[in-house]
Amino acid sequence: MTETTWLHEHFEKAGSAIGFRVTRKLDEVQSPFQHIEIYESTDWGNVMLIDGAMMLTTRDNFLYHEMMSHPALFTHADPKRVVIIGGGDCGTLREVLRHPGVEKAVQCDIDEQVTRMAEKYFPELCEANGDPRAELLWDDGIAYMANCAPGSVDIVIVDSTDPVGPAEGLFNQAFFESCHRALKDDGILVQQSESPLVLLDLIREMRAEMGKAGFASFQTLPFPQPCYPTGWWSCTMAKKAAGADFGFRETDARAKGFKTAYYSADLHKGAQALPPFVAEALAAG
């Protein structure tokens, strides 16, 4: 019988913890940027941790990857060029490239080791890495966006870790200004925006920084994410135009030619209906 133990992440900000029953550590590496660990669990498949924080599991990563990609791609009228900042596990890249209209998807993550670990322990997430439309870069995402040609991108997806360490600079006005400049007039910025249950202040601050950078309309979409603190997460979309419509191509979403496990047109509509406490807090921000 395989010996088991419990792997926990303590989330000080929420006074809570999350844990998975694991059988063994499969791998670990200290990259120039962060400490990456892979564990085998009894019920959740493989688990990746970065600097002690849960990043993804085999069982529930589809929730995050689908919500970070499909709402924005079905909200944009005709997305052709997508940039993913972070996203080294390649799951968001895979979902983006399910859209046949996308002509180019650039993934820029500072840490190549995250991708190498994903290729070995989460190969299903890396199925699109060889797609001719995909370009994988291991570089500073802040510098990449600063150097993007103005008006050259349809969607920027910021698939980052928490706003500490290498990802700290991905949540401020200067970075969002680079995204604003790189996006076309009808472009969309998407940022993972943490837990709406315990980190509403962070979401409000992030939207305020986006506003300072020139974005005028926002939509935050909550979704379940069991491996993240509180089990409830969100992404936030931003557009340049004030009062911009966040209606999406519902007919296309219903007729999409690929399978999803969580995202659907009805789910998208439902996610737009924020709980009153979230809506009130964001309106006050």
Side-chain angles (χ1 to χ4, degrees):
M1 181 176 178
T2 304
E3 184 179 350
T4 62
T5 187
W6 284 88
L7 174 70
H8 289 101
E9 176 193 351
H10 296 274
F11 192 61
E12 296 296 334
K13 290 180 181 178
S16 62
I18 188 165
F20 294 100
R21 187 171 52 204
V22 298
T23 53
R24 58 182 173 138
K25 179 183 283 188
L26 296 173
D27 207 346
E28 69 178 312
V29 63
Q30 177 64 52
S31 79
F33 306 100
Q34 50 206 357
H35 185 223
I36 308 165
E37 301 171 272
I38 308 289
Y39 289 85
E40 176 186 77
S41 77
T42 58
D43 296 83
W44 293 78
N46 291 339
V47 182
M48 177 187 286
L49 278 72
I50 294 182
D51 289 339
M54 306 284 183
M55 285 295 111
L56 73 153
T57 78
T58 304
R59 187 172 187 174
D60 76 345
N61 72 77
F62 67 93
L63 299 162
Y64 177 90
H65 292 134
E66 291 183 13
M67 289 301 287
M68 284 292 292
S69 53
H70 302 310
L73 272 93
F74 280 120
T75 297
H76 193 284
D78 186 21
K80 296 186 183 304
R81 181 175 172 83
V82 179
V83 172
I84 302 165
I85 299 300
D89 60 55
C90 304
T92 299
L93 177 68
R94 182 189 68 177
E95 296 303 315
V96 166
L97 289 174
R98 293 193 192 283
H99 293 254
V102 172
E103 296 175 355
K104 181 77 170 180
V106 177
Q107 175 182 290
C108 183
D109 192 295
I110 199 168
D111 197 345
E112 182 177 353
Q113 284 300 324
V114 176
T115 300
R116 298 307 172 210
M117 290 288 219
E119 288 172 341
K120 187 172 182 181
Y121 298 105
F122 302 88
E124 67 280 6
L125 300 184
C126 301
E127 292 170 353
N129 289 15
D131 190 306
R133 299 172 294 161
E135 181 180 0
L136 274 65
L137 303 175
W138 292 285
D139 206 345
D140 181 352
I142 297 170
Y144 179 85
M145 290 310 306
N147 293 321
C148 265
S152 63
V153 182
D154 294 308
I155 297 176
V156 176
I157 301 174
V158 187
D159 181 359
S160 68
T161 54
D162 295 334
V164 294
E168 187 173 5
L170 300 177
F171 286 76
N172 60 37
Q173 178 182 345
F175 173 70
F176 294 141
E177 284 175 348
S178 295
C179 295
H180 189 276
R181 184 174 57 253
L183 284 165
K184 297 177 183 177
D185 288 343
D186 62 349
I188 299 174
L189 169 65
V190 190
Q191 166 75 282
Q192 76 85 5
S193 47
E194 308 277 316
S195 170
L197 186 62
V198 297
L199 293 172
L200 261 176
D201 285 348
L202 184 147
I203 300 175
R204 290 171 61 183
E205 291 168 11
M206 187 195 75
R207 287 167 55 136
E209 292 295 296
M210 290 175 171
K212 293 175 188 175
F215 291 97
S217 298
F218 311 96
Q219 183 177 73
T220 296
L221 303 175
F223 55 89
Q225 195 61 54
C227 75
Y228 289 171
T230 76
W232 200 40
W233 218 240
S234 69
C235 62
T236 294
M237 293 192 285
K239 289 186 173 184
K240 293 184 177 183
D245 181 15
F246 280 94
F248 65 103
R249 295 182 284 111
E250 185 176 340
T251 300
D252 291 344
R254 293 190 185 281
K256 61 183 172 54
F258 54 89
K259 289 185 177 181
T260 48
Y262 184 74
Y263 177 84
S264 69
D266 288 334
L267 191 285
H268 191 154
K269 290 172 68 175
Q272 293 177 321
L274 292 176
F277 83 94
V278 177
E280 290 166 8
L282 297 182

